[in-house]
Amino acid sequence: MKSINSRRDFLKVSAISGGGILFGMVLPQVKSNATPTAAADFMPNIYIKIKPDGSIILLAPNPEIGQGVKTSLPMIIAEELGLDWKKIQVEFAPLDVRYGRQAAGGSGSIRGRFAELRKMGAAAREMFVNAAAQTWNVPAESCTVEDGMVIHTSSGKKLSFGELSTKAASMEVPANPTLKDPKDFKYIGSRMTDVDAHLITTGKPLFGIDTRRDGMLYAMVARSPAYGKTLQSVDDSAARKVNGVKNVIQLQNSVAVLATSTWAAKKGREALIIQWKASEKLENSSEHFAGFKEILEKGPSARGRNDGDIDSVKQQASKNLDVYYEVPTLSHGQMEPLNYFADVQEGKVELFGPTQVPDQLRNDVAQKLGISKDIITVGLPRQGGGFGRKLMTDNGVEAALISAAAKSPVQVQWTREDDMQNDFYRPAEMYRYQAALSSNELLAWHQSAVGIGRGIRGDSYVAGALSNYRSDSQGFTSNTPTGWWRAPGACTMAFVAESFFDEVCSELKKDPVAYRLDFFKKAKEAPIGRLGYDPAKYQAVVELVAKMSNWGTTPPGVYRGFATWFSFGSYAAQVVEVRLEAGKPRVSKVFCAVHCGRVINLSGAENQIQGAIVDGINHSMFPKVTFVDGAVQETNFNSYRFLRMENAPLDIEVKFVESDEAPTGLGEPALPPVAAAVGNAIFAATGKRLRKLPFVEQLG
Amino acid sequence: MAKYALSINGKTMSVEADADTPLLWVLRDNLNLVGTKFGCGIAQCGACTVHLNGEAIRSCVLPISAVGTGKVLTIEGLSEKGNHPLQKAWEELDVSQCGYCQAGQIMAASALLKSNPKPTDQQIDESITNICRCGTQVRIRKAIHLAAKQSKSN
Ligand code: FES
Ligand code: FES
């Protein structure tokens, strides 16, 4: 994630230092690779378009994958500009270097753009005010802005932004516009419904899968049925005879069937006769876990943080805990199966479809096709979920290769089975946790981790609050691909660390909330080494959720679990309530307190938190991916189980710690603590400590 | 290929398709009614939910040859102005995240309300089995209750 951040920072700096580019002009037309704009549109800057009829369009710069930024980013502009939210429209901005980091990932959209978009809105507002002041020949200070109108306060004269746009276009662009006083915010912090809500509820075409173009063919691709197998030979004679099939294209390690409909493409694909050969080891999940165990028993090779002297403390302890935790491989399972549209022509390429990283996709396509990226346009639909899957560009690159070879516009459609077998998975991991205890205190904490591809970070609490702390890790080599999965790293780390902390509390007979607060107090007053978190913010969310849930007074028939975690700049603390229904635990209610700086869209923010919690319950309870000879066994939702309404909590109560600080991450931070809070609640209900995901397999 | 005269959203529409083509793909590819979504193709997720003679069905597993004279209702035909009580409740409570599953959720919920105008939580649990990967279930439940309340008072 670090490299992305610094790249974004670089782009931002270069864009702003070239102030002339961002502010210094009216843009009758955005650059070559962007959607052309009618010459009469007035654009005070690249985020705001005023049509000749006075209607106002705000441009949302980042991909929308369900995290709400098509609504929340324009809200920031509208706030500073002084628009009537009900009268604006929102469009996706084209891919253009002047927008800086146009990506969805790392909970970074609002964090990265809050300051920039406020400035954009404020600068445009000042241009309208100056234009009106000149028109009326009054001082700018005597004018105010409301709902898209400039008002001369004493005379009551009014002009709309639309009426002022020609004049405003000749105003100088202010380099340092005055920002609104946050206490005057009208939209920021309010509840705003998603800008596409009506289009969604009426089934309008919005998504990549809905793309239609003249002459377009639908394609399905036969890809390797197992990791480690490659294409040996293809007989496509039967496929070519299938009604509607127009073409068959062989790529390096796959075969595409192009047809006049999705169904014909699918039937054509089924008619292919392909020989695959094993060219690498065909791996099994059972071997992964056996390998993990062996490493953890020996001790992982890479030493991370090492405070104090855990070995000698272990020897003197009155009790030592030593346990293993396991998390399975997971698929992303975003609701919209992957798809992508590409039209590769001589000198002109159109790409359109789901991606969290349009800029990266353009670079990858340019490189693969050996063409200049200047001739490639990339358009963004709304996307049916991301969760990190579309940080990889394979779906878009593949579509471009097929279109180039077939010389026709093509919409590649994946089936759910394709998605399951061709993912970049959340890696399987195993952890060993050891703790040394006195009769009433935790003395030492030793975590060791091994996972496919990568190790773990060792800076999360209790590091910084405990004198003896060690964190070791080791990567594990595999040919099964791994990638980013919502709250990468944190989503599994929080499960194991917060479950184990609960084990420690239960051994010591400590209250899990009070004992954590003890540690945050220690970290605040006498930190040990580097602190990777802010203990005061941790304390704030823990105290708030304890208050919300009336911690300490559990209603009858209810069992509670607690967990908290810091990730992507934000803090989340949760109390999960479980009831037993016919002996089986069901999460009935969740309380969650969040510290994420200033909240932009309260409705959207709450939705993200509730969604992350349901996501966390789902993935703690039900799904897992198993490799057998390189092939994924769970091929669709009949075996890759997902939570249904009957497993969802009846209520999720969310509160945000009030804060004037700049916004921090929101799409991910509420996910990590959920699995531990659920497991801890199940322990309270059943006395059974669940150290392995998914839980449902161990509940019988 | 065979010709079919289908009754969709109150209109007769003729299409030419292979007999085994699922209704889902006929709606999407032949008729350009893309509000009905594809999620799994095996009747598991509910993204493709439409009504057949007033009942919620999963169109990804219903071959076009089996539709016959059955009346098909899709999200595009649920209400003339997009103002079905469920559509209004969905907007009022800002239910959607990515939005991809929501047309199917609304079609499943509207079939439920037709047979049971005031469902309990347990009845909602039993009859809404669609998947929402974004985790909007809590708001979906609230929106169904809100729509039920508002339809009644109408
Ligand atoms: S696509 Fe029909 S149920 Fe999933
Ligand atoms: S809103 Fe995204 S799957 Fe339901």
Side-chain angles (χ1 to χ4, degrees), chain A residues 31-35 61 92-103 351 355 357-363 373 376-380:
Chain A
K31 253 202 194 150
S32 61
N33 49 16
T35 325
F92 283 124
L95 180 58
D96 189 315
V97 67
R98 289 169 302 166
Y99 290 102
R101 179 186 183 252
Q102 288 179 281
L351 303 178
T355 176
V357 284
D359 187 37
Q360 181 66 42
L361 173 60
R362 179 164 60 186
N363 290 340
K373 67 178 201 168
I376 305 175
T377 65
V378 183
L380 286 173

PDB file of all heavy atoms in Angstrom, chain A residues 31-35 61 92-103 351 355 357-363 373 376-380:
ATOM      1  N   LYS A  31      -8.835  16.900 -21.729  1.00  0.00           N
ATOM      2  CA  LYS A  31      -7.758  16.417 -22.614  1.00  0.00           C
ATOM      3  C   LYS A  31      -8.138  15.314 -23.591  1.00  0.00           C
ATOM      4  O   LYS A  31      -9.147  14.660 -23.446  1.00  0.00           O
ATOM      5  CB  LYS A  31      -6.626  15.909 -21.731  1.00  0.00           C
ATOM      6  CG  LYS A  31      -5.431  16.803 -21.700  1.00  0.00           C
ATOM      7  CD  LYS A  31      -4.299  15.903 -21.264  1.00  0.00           C
ATOM      8  CE  LYS A  31      -3.064  16.612 -20.835  1.00  0.00           C
ATOM      9  NZ  LYS A  31      -2.377  15.801 -19.832  1.00  0.00           N
ATOM     10  N   SER A  32      -7.248  15.079 -24.518  1.00  0.00           N
ATOM     11  CA  SER A  32      -7.466  14.143 -25.622  1.00  0.00           C
ATOM     12  C   SER A  32      -8.125  12.821 -25.224  1.00  0.00           C
ATOM     13  O   SER A  32      -9.055  12.374 -25.866  1.00  0.00           O
ATOM     14  CB  SER A  32      -6.128  13.833 -26.273  1.00  0.00           C
ATOM     15  OG  SER A  32      -5.280  13.234 -25.312  1.00  0.00           O
ATOM     16  N   ASN A  33      -7.659  12.231 -24.117  1.00  0.00           N
ATOM     17  CA  ASN A  33      -8.181  10.902 -23.804  1.00  0.00           C
ATOM     18  C   ASN A  33      -9.441  10.966 -22.948  1.00  0.00           C
ATOM     19  O   ASN A  33      -9.873   9.985 -22.393  1.00  0.00           O
ATOM     20  CB  ASN A  33      -7.104  10.072 -23.103  1.00  0.00           C
ATOM     21  CG  ASN A  33      -6.478  10.839 -21.970  1.00  0.00           C
ATOM     22  OD1 ASN A  33      -7.038  11.837 -21.544  1.00  0.00           O
ATOM     23  ND2 ASN A  33      -5.344  10.371 -21.508  1.00  0.00           N
ATOM     24  N   ALA A  34     -10.040  12.117 -22.818  1.00  0.00           N
ATOM     25  CA  ALA A  34     -11.242  12.246 -21.998  1.00  0.00           C
ATOM     26  C   ALA A  34     -12.465  12.439 -22.884  1.00  0.00           C
ATOM     27  O   ALA A  34     -12.350  12.718 -24.060  1.00  0.00           O
ATOM     28  CB  ALA A  34     -11.095  13.432 -21.069  1.00  0.00           C
ATOM     29  N   THR A  35     -13.622  12.268 -22.255  1.00  0.00           N
ATOM     30  CA  THR A  35     -14.860  12.465 -22.989  1.00  0.00           C
ATOM     31  C   THR A  35     -14.939  13.924 -23.450  1.00  0.00           C
ATOM     32  O   THR A  35     -14.765  14.819 -22.632  1.00  0.00           O
ATOM     33  CB  THR A  35     -16.062  12.200 -22.072  1.00  0.00           C
ATOM     34  OG1 THR A  35     -15.695  11.160 -21.194  1.00  0.00           O
ATOM     35  CG2 THR A  35     -17.297  11.856 -22.851  1.00  0.00           C
ATOM     36  N   PRO A  61     -14.326  11.517  -9.263  1.00  0.00           N
ATOM     37  CA  PRO A  61     -13.074  11.068  -9.866  1.00  0.00           C
ATOM     38  C   PRO A  61     -12.688   9.613  -9.625  1.00  0.00           C
ATOM     39  O   PRO A  61     -11.832   9.093 -10.320  1.00  0.00           O
ATOM     40  CB  PRO A  61     -12.035  11.998  -9.243  1.00  0.00           C
ATOM     41  CG  PRO A  61     -12.613  12.379  -7.919  1.00  0.00           C
ATOM     42  CD  PRO A  61     -14.098  12.387  -8.093  1.00  0.00           C
ATOM     43  N   PHE A  92     -19.161  10.158 -13.694  1.00  0.00           N
ATOM     44  CA  PHE A  92     -17.785   9.755 -13.444  1.00  0.00           C
ATOM     45  C   PHE A  92     -16.857  10.645 -14.261  1.00  0.00           C
ATOM     46  O   PHE A  92     -17.142  10.951 -15.422  1.00  0.00           O
ATOM     47  CB  PHE A  92     -17.546   8.299 -13.859  1.00  0.00           C
ATOM     48  CG  PHE A  92     -18.092   7.304 -12.884  1.00  0.00           C
ATOM     49  CD1 PHE A  92     -18.996   6.341 -13.286  1.00  0.00           C
ATOM     50  CD2 PHE A  92     -17.697   7.330 -11.553  1.00  0.00           C
ATOM     51  CE1 PHE A  92     -19.500   5.413 -12.387  1.00  0.00           C
ATOM     52  CE2 PHE A  92     -18.199   6.412 -10.645  1.00  0.00           C
ATOM     53  CZ  PHE A  92     -19.104   5.456 -11.072  1.00  0.00           C
ATOM     54  N   ALA A  93     -15.765  11.041 -13.667  1.00  0.00           N
ATOM     55  CA  ALA A  93     -14.744  11.777 -14.408  1.00  0.00           C
ATOM     56  C   ALA A  93     -14.024  10.808 -15.344  1.00  0.00           C
ATOM     57  O   ALA A  93     -13.910   9.631 -15.040  1.00  0.00           O
ATOM     58  CB  ALA A  93     -13.748  12.384 -13.435  1.00  0.00           C
ATOM     59  N   PRO A  94     -13.543  11.317 -16.468  1.00  0.00           N
ATOM     60  CA  PRO A  94     -12.723  10.451 -17.316  1.00  0.00           C
ATOM     61  C   PRO A  94     -11.378  10.192 -16.642  1.00  0.00           C
ATOM     62  O   PRO A  94     -11.009  10.891 -15.695  1.00  0.00           O
ATOM     63  CB  PRO A  94     -12.530  11.289 -18.577  1.00  0.00           C
ATOM     64  CG  PRO A  94     -12.684  12.703 -18.123  1.00  0.00           C
ATOM     65  CD  PRO A  94     -13.659  12.684 -16.981  1.00  0.00           C
ATOM     66  N   LEU A  95     -10.685   9.188 -17.149  1.00  0.00           N
ATOM     67  CA  LEU A  95      -9.340   8.918 -16.630  1.00  0.00           C
ATOM     68  C   LEU A  95      -8.395   9.979 -17.174  1.00  0.00           C
ATOM     69  O   LEU A  95      -8.280  10.152 -18.378  1.00  0.00           O
ATOM     70  CB  LEU A  95      -8.896   7.525 -17.077  1.00  0.00           C
ATOM     71  CG  LEU A  95      -7.512   7.066 -16.642  1.00  0.00           C
ATOM     72  CD1 LEU A  95      -7.383   7.069 -15.135  1.00  0.00           C
ATOM     73  CD2 LEU A  95      -7.235   5.674 -17.191  1.00  0.00           C
ATOM     74  N   ASP A  96      -7.772  10.722 -16.273  1.00  0.00           N
ATOM     75  CA  ASP A  96      -6.931  11.839 -16.695  1.00  0.00           C
ATOM     76  C   ASP A  96      -5.920  12.098 -15.583  1.00  0.00           C
ATOM     77  O   ASP A  96      -6.290  12.171 -14.407  1.00  0.00           O
ATOM     78  CB  ASP A  96      -7.818  13.072 -16.909  1.00  0.00           C
ATOM     79  CG  ASP A  96      -7.049  14.227 -17.553  1.00  0.00           C
ATOM     80  OD1 ASP A  96      -5.907  14.498 -17.122  1.00  0.00           O
ATOM     81  OD2 ASP A  96      -7.598  14.834 -18.482  1.00  0.00           O
ATOM     82  N   VAL A  97      -4.678  12.267 -15.948  1.00  0.00           N
ATOM     83  CA  VAL A  97      -3.609  12.405 -14.956  1.00  0.00           C
ATOM     84  C   VAL A  97      -3.858  13.579 -14.013  1.00  0.00           C
ATOM     85  O   VAL A  97      -3.435  13.586 -12.865  1.00  0.00           O
ATOM     86  CB  VAL A  97      -2.234  12.513 -15.671  1.00  0.00           C
ATOM     87  CG1 VAL A  97      -2.145  13.812 -16.460  1.00  0.00           C
ATOM     88  CG2 VAL A  97      -1.096  12.408 -14.663  1.00  0.00           C
ATOM     89  N   ARG A  98      -4.623  14.583 -14.487  1.00  0.00           N
ATOM     90  CA  ARG A  98      -4.868  15.746 -13.636  1.00  0.00           C
ATOM     91  C   ARG A  98      -5.741  15.424 -12.419  1.00  0.00           C
ATOM     92  O   ARG A  98      -5.836  16.203 -11.490  1.00  0.00           O
ATOM     93  CB  ARG A  98      -5.503  16.868 -14.456  1.00  0.00           C
ATOM     94  CG  ARG A  98      -4.514  17.504 -15.443  1.00  0.00           C
ATOM     95  CD  ARG A  98      -5.219  18.408 -16.409  1.00  0.00           C
ATOM     96  NE  ARG A  98      -6.245  17.671 -17.134  1.00  0.00           N
ATOM     97  CZ  ARG A  98      -7.202  18.255 -17.848  1.00  0.00           C
ATOM     98  NH1 ARG A  98      -7.286  19.559 -17.901  1.00  0.00           N
ATOM     99  NH2 ARG A  98      -8.075  17.515 -18.504  1.00  0.00           N
ATOM    100  N   TYR A  99      -6.421  14.287 -12.456  1.00  0.00           N
ATOM    101  CA  TYR A  99      -7.226  13.915 -11.287  1.00  0.00           C
ATOM    102  C   TYR A  99      -6.409  13.178 -10.219  1.00  0.00           C
ATOM    103  O   TYR A  99      -6.951  12.729  -9.218  1.00  0.00           O
ATOM    104  CB  TYR A  99      -8.411  13.039 -11.702  1.00  0.00           C
ATOM    105  CG  TYR A  99      -9.485  13.775 -12.488  1.00  0.00           C
ATOM    106  CD1 TYR A  99      -9.568  13.639 -13.868  1.00  0.00           C
ATOM    107  CD2 TYR A  99     -10.409  14.582 -11.836  1.00  0.00           C
ATOM    108  CE1 TYR A  99     -10.548  14.299 -14.595  1.00  0.00           C
ATOM    109  CE2 TYR A  99     -11.393  15.256 -12.561  1.00  0.00           C
ATOM    110  CZ  TYR A  99     -11.451  15.107 -13.938  1.00  0.00           C
ATOM    111  OH  TYR A  99     -12.416  15.767 -14.645  1.00  0.00           O
ATOM    112  N   GLY A 100      -5.131  12.998 -10.468  1.00  0.00           N
ATOM    113  CA  GLY A 100      -4.328  12.307  -9.454  1.00  0.00           C
ATOM    114  C   GLY A 100      -4.700  10.837  -9.367  1.00  0.00           C
ATOM    115  O   GLY A 100      -4.979  10.197 -10.380  1.00  0.00           O
ATOM    116  N   ARG A 101      -4.731  10.307  -8.156  1.00  0.00           N
ATOM    117  CA  ARG A 101      -4.948   8.868  -7.965  1.00  0.00           C
ATOM    118  C   ARG A 101      -6.409   8.493  -8.157  1.00  0.00           C
ATOM    119  O   ARG A 101      -7.232   8.665  -7.276  1.00  0.00           O
ATOM    120  CB  ARG A 101      -4.491   8.460  -6.568  1.00  0.00           C
ATOM    121  CG  ARG A 101      -4.698   6.984  -6.274  1.00  0.00           C
ATOM    122  CD  ARG A 101      -4.361   6.670  -4.823  1.00  0.00           C
ATOM    123  NE  ARG A 101      -4.481   5.243  -4.562  1.00  0.00           N
ATOM    124  CZ  ARG A 101      -5.472   4.721  -3.828  1.00  0.00           C
ATOM    125  NH1 ARG A 101      -6.402   5.484  -3.306  1.00  0.00           N
ATOM    126  NH2 ARG A 101      -5.521   3.410  -3.625  1.00  0.00           N
ATOM    127  N   GLN A 102      -6.733   7.972  -9.333  1.00  0.00           N
ATOM    128  CA  GLN A 102      -8.109   7.551  -9.596  1.00  0.00           C
ATOM    129  C   GLN A 102      -8.220   6.061  -9.372  1.00  0.00           C
ATOM    130  O   GLN A 102      -8.278   5.271 -10.314  1.00  0.00           O
ATOM    131  CB  GLN A 102      -8.503   7.911 -11.033  1.00  0.00           C
ATOM    132  CG  GLN A 102      -8.691   9.400 -11.235  1.00  0.00           C
ATOM    133  CD  GLN A 102      -9.057   9.743 -12.659  1.00  0.00           C
ATOM    134  OE1 GLN A 102      -8.197   9.786 -13.530  1.00  0.00           O
ATOM    135  NE2 GLN A 102     -10.339   9.985 -12.914  1.00  0.00           N
ATOM    136  N   ALA A 103      -8.245   5.657  -8.119  1.00  0.00           N
ATOM    137  CA  ALA A 103      -8.289   4.245  -7.797  1.00  0.00           C
ATOM    138  C   ALA A 103      -9.179   4.040  -6.590  1.00  0.00           C
ATOM    139  O   ALA A 103      -9.453   4.981  -5.845  1.00  0.00           O
ATOM    140  CB  ALA A 103      -6.876   3.731  -7.505  1.00  0.00           C
ATOM    141  N   LEU A 351     -11.734   1.055 -23.771  1.00  0.00           N
ATOM    142  CA  LEU A 351     -11.884   0.075 -22.695  1.00  0.00           C
ATOM    143  C   LEU A 351     -13.001   0.555 -21.787  1.00  0.00           C
ATOM    144  O   LEU A 351     -13.078   1.747 -21.475  1.00  0.00           O
ATOM    145  CB  LEU A 351     -10.592  -0.044 -21.878  1.00  0.00           C
ATOM    146  CG  LEU A 351      -9.304  -0.416 -22.624  1.00  0.00           C
ATOM    147  CD1 LEU A 351      -8.126  -0.432 -21.648  1.00  0.00           C
ATOM    148  CD2 LEU A 351      -9.449  -1.788 -23.294  1.00  0.00           C
ATOM    149  N   THR A 355     -13.092  -1.971 -12.914  1.00  0.00           N
ATOM    150  CA  THR A 355     -11.710  -1.998 -12.443  1.00  0.00           C
ATOM    151  C   THR A 355     -11.577  -1.021 -11.279  1.00  0.00           C
ATOM    152  O   THR A 355     -12.228   0.015 -11.268  1.00  0.00           O
ATOM    153  CB  THR A 355     -10.691  -1.633 -13.543  1.00  0.00           C
ATOM    154  OG1 THR A 355      -9.381  -1.590 -12.954  1.00  0.00           O
ATOM    155  CG2 THR A 355     -10.972  -0.265 -14.153  1.00  0.00           C
ATOM    156  N   VAL A 357      -8.575   0.074 -10.623  1.00  0.00           N
ATOM    157  CA  VAL A 357      -7.340   0.789 -10.976  1.00  0.00           C
ATOM    158  C   VAL A 357      -7.283   1.082 -12.476  1.00  0.00           C
ATOM    159  O   VAL A 357      -6.486   0.493 -13.213  1.00  0.00           O
ATOM    160  CB  VAL A 357      -6.089  -0.014 -10.534  1.00  0.00           C
ATOM    161  CG1 VAL A 357      -5.883   0.092  -9.030  1.00  0.00           C
ATOM    162  CG2 VAL A 357      -6.212  -1.497 -10.915  1.00  0.00           C
ATOM    163  N   PRO A 358      -8.130   2.003 -12.958  1.00  0.00           N
ATOM    164  CA  PRO A 358      -8.189   2.258 -14.397  1.00  0.00           C
ATOM    165  C   PRO A 358      -6.851   2.687 -15.004  1.00  0.00           C
ATOM    166  O   PRO A 358      -6.531   2.296 -16.138  1.00  0.00           O
ATOM    167  CB  PRO A 358      -9.231   3.376 -14.529  1.00  0.00           C
ATOM    168  CG  PRO A 358      -9.440   3.918 -13.152  1.00  0.00           C
ATOM    169  CD  PRO A 358      -9.090   2.824 -12.209  1.00  0.00           C
ATOM    170  N   ASP A 359      -6.066   3.440 -14.256  1.00  0.00           N
ATOM    171  CA  ASP A 359      -4.797   3.922 -14.779  1.00  0.00           C
ATOM    172  C   ASP A 359      -3.825   2.760 -14.993  1.00  0.00           C
ATOM    173  O   ASP A 359      -3.179   2.635 -16.030  1.00  0.00           O
ATOM    174  CB  ASP A 359      -4.221   4.941 -13.777  1.00  0.00           C
ATOM    175  CG  ASP A 359      -2.996   5.619 -14.329  1.00  0.00           C
ATOM    176  OD1 ASP A 359      -2.981   5.890 -15.547  1.00  0.00           O
ATOM    177  OD2 ASP A 359      -2.054   5.859 -13.553  1.00  0.00           O
ATOM    178  N   GLN A 360      -3.777   1.879 -14.002  1.00  0.00           N
ATOM    179  CA  GLN A 360      -2.930   0.696 -14.101  1.00  0.00           C
ATOM    180  C   GLN A 360      -3.374  -0.180 -15.274  1.00  0.00           C
ATOM    181  O   GLN A 360      -2.561  -0.704 -16.027  1.00  0.00           O
ATOM    182  CB  GLN A 360      -3.034  -0.096 -12.784  1.00  0.00           C
ATOM    183  CG  GLN A 360      -2.179  -1.341 -12.726  1.00  0.00           C
ATOM    184  CD  GLN A 360      -0.702  -0.991 -12.731  1.00  0.00           C
ATOM    185  OE1 GLN A 360      -0.288  -0.060 -12.073  1.00  0.00           O
ATOM    186  NE2 GLN A 360       0.077  -1.732 -13.513  1.00  0.00           N
ATOM    187  N   LEU A 361      -4.685  -0.311 -15.441  1.00  0.00           N
ATOM    188  CA  LEU A 361      -5.216  -1.120 -16.536  1.00  0.00           C
ATOM    189  C   LEU A 361      -4.764  -0.552 -17.876  1.00  0.00           C
ATOM    190  O   LEU A 361      -4.340  -1.290 -18.773  1.00  0.00           O
ATOM    191  CB  LEU A 361      -6.750  -1.177 -16.453  1.00  0.00           C
ATOM    192  CG  LEU A 361      -7.439  -1.857 -17.630  1.00  0.00           C
ATOM    193  CD1 LEU A 361      -6.996  -3.311 -17.787  1.00  0.00           C
ATOM    194  CD2 LEU A 361      -8.953  -1.805 -17.473  1.00  0.00           C
ATOM    195  N   ARG A 362      -4.856   0.785 -18.003  1.00  0.00           N
ATOM    196  CA  ARG A 362      -4.442   1.384 -19.281  1.00  0.00           C
ATOM    197  C   ARG A 362      -2.962   1.102 -19.549  1.00  0.00           C
ATOM    198  O   ARG A 362      -2.587   0.732 -20.657  1.00  0.00           O
ATOM    199  CB  ARG A 362      -4.710   2.893 -19.269  1.00  0.00           C
ATOM    200  CG  ARG A 362      -4.277   3.544 -20.573  1.00  0.00           C
ATOM    201  CD  ARG A 362      -4.852   4.917 -20.752  1.00  0.00           C
ATOM    202  NE  ARG A 362      -4.435   5.810 -19.670  1.00  0.00           N
ATOM    203  CZ  ARG A 362      -4.897   7.046 -19.530  1.00  0.00           C
ATOM    204  NH1 ARG A 362      -5.801   7.515 -20.380  1.00  0.00           N
ATOM    205  NH2 ARG A 362      -4.478   7.796 -18.550  1.00  0.00           N
ATOM    206  N   ASN A 363      -2.151   1.248 -18.529  1.00  0.00           N
ATOM    207  CA  ASN A 363      -0.722   0.957 -18.703  1.00  0.00           C
ATOM    208  C   ASN A 363      -0.490  -0.495 -19.107  1.00  0.00           C
ATOM    209  O   ASN A 363       0.297  -0.791 -20.002  1.00  0.00           O
ATOM    210  CB  ASN A 363       0.053   1.231 -17.406  1.00  0.00           C
ATOM    211  CG  ASN A 363       0.122   2.712 -17.105  1.00  0.00           C
ATOM    212  OD1 ASN A 363      -0.058   3.540 -18.001  1.00  0.00           O
ATOM    213  ND2 ASN A 363       0.352   3.053 -15.853  1.00  0.00           N
ATOM    214  N   LYS A 373      -0.249   4.582 -24.729  1.00  0.00           N
ATOM    215  CA  LYS A 373      -1.439   4.677 -23.888  1.00  0.00           C
ATOM    216  C   LYS A 373      -2.280   5.899 -24.235  1.00  0.00           C
ATOM    217  O   LYS A 373      -3.437   5.989 -23.840  1.00  0.00           O
ATOM    218  CB  LYS A 373      -1.067   4.633 -22.409  1.00  0.00           C
ATOM    219  CG  LYS A 373      -0.309   5.800 -21.888  1.00  0.00           C
ATOM    220  CD  LYS A 373      -0.094   5.588 -20.399  1.00  0.00           C
ATOM    221  CE  LYS A 373       0.187   6.904 -19.726  1.00  0.00           C
ATOM    222  NZ  LYS A 373       0.136   6.816 -18.282  1.00  0.00           N
ATOM    223  N   ILE A 376      -5.675   5.175 -25.810  1.00  0.00           N
ATOM    224  CA  ILE A 376      -6.610   4.318 -25.071  1.00  0.00           C
ATOM    225  C   ILE A 376      -7.518   5.168 -24.185  1.00  0.00           C
ATOM    226  O   ILE A 376      -7.032   5.938 -23.361  1.00  0.00           O
ATOM    227  CB  ILE A 376      -5.848   3.320 -24.170  1.00  0.00           C
ATOM    228  CG1 ILE A 376      -4.849   2.514 -24.997  1.00  0.00           C
ATOM    229  CG2 ILE A 376      -6.813   2.410 -23.429  1.00  0.00           C
ATOM    230  CD1 ILE A 376      -3.960   1.592 -24.159  1.00  0.00           C
ATOM    231  N   THR A 377      -8.831   5.030 -24.340  1.00  0.00           N
ATOM    232  CA  THR A 377      -9.735   5.643 -23.372  1.00  0.00           C
ATOM    233  C   THR A 377     -10.245   4.549 -22.435  1.00  0.00           C
ATOM    234  O   THR A 377     -10.467   3.411 -22.843  1.00  0.00           O
ATOM    235  CB  THR A 377     -10.965   6.297 -24.037  1.00  0.00           C
ATOM    236  OG1 THR A 377     -11.745   5.280 -24.661  1.00  0.00           O
ATOM    237  CG2 THR A 377     -10.555   7.345 -25.042  1.00  0.00           C
ATOM    238  N   VAL A 378     -10.394   4.924 -21.167  1.00  0.00           N
ATOM    239  CA  VAL A 378     -10.895   3.974 -20.174  1.00  0.00           C
ATOM    240  C   VAL A 378     -12.131   4.578 -19.524  1.00  0.00           C
ATOM    241  O   VAL A 378     -12.052   5.639 -18.909  1.00  0.00           O
ATOM    242  CB  VAL A 378      -9.842   3.685 -19.082  1.00  0.00           C
ATOM    243  CG1 VAL A 378     -10.379   2.634 -18.097  1.00  0.00           C
ATOM    244  CG2 VAL A 378      -8.546   3.202 -19.699  1.00  0.00           C
ATOM    245  N   GLY A 379     -13.267   3.934 -19.686  1.00  0.00           N
ATOM    246  CA  GLY A 379     -14.507   4.425 -19.077  1.00  0.00           C
ATOM    247  C   GLY A 379     -14.898   3.550 -17.906  1.00  0.00           C
ATOM    248  O   GLY A 379     -14.589   2.352 -17.869  1.00  0.00           O
ATOM    249  N   LEU A 380     -15.557   4.174 -16.926  1.00  0.00           N
ATOM    250  CA  LEU A 380     -15.922   3.443 -15.712  1.00  0.00           C
ATOM    251  C   LEU A 380     -17.428   3.316 -15.560  1.00  0.00           C
ATOM    252  O   LEU A 380     -18.132   4.322 -15.522  1.00  0.00           O
ATOM    253  CB  LEU A 380     -15.392   4.181 -14.480  1.00  0.00           C
ATOM    254  CG  LEU A 380     -13.897   4.113 -14.206  1.00  0.00           C
ATOM    255  CD1 LEU A 380     -13.558   5.037 -13.049  1.00  0.00           C
ATOM    256  CD2 LEU A 380     -13.466   2.686 -13.887  1.00  0.00           C
TER     257      LEU A 380
END
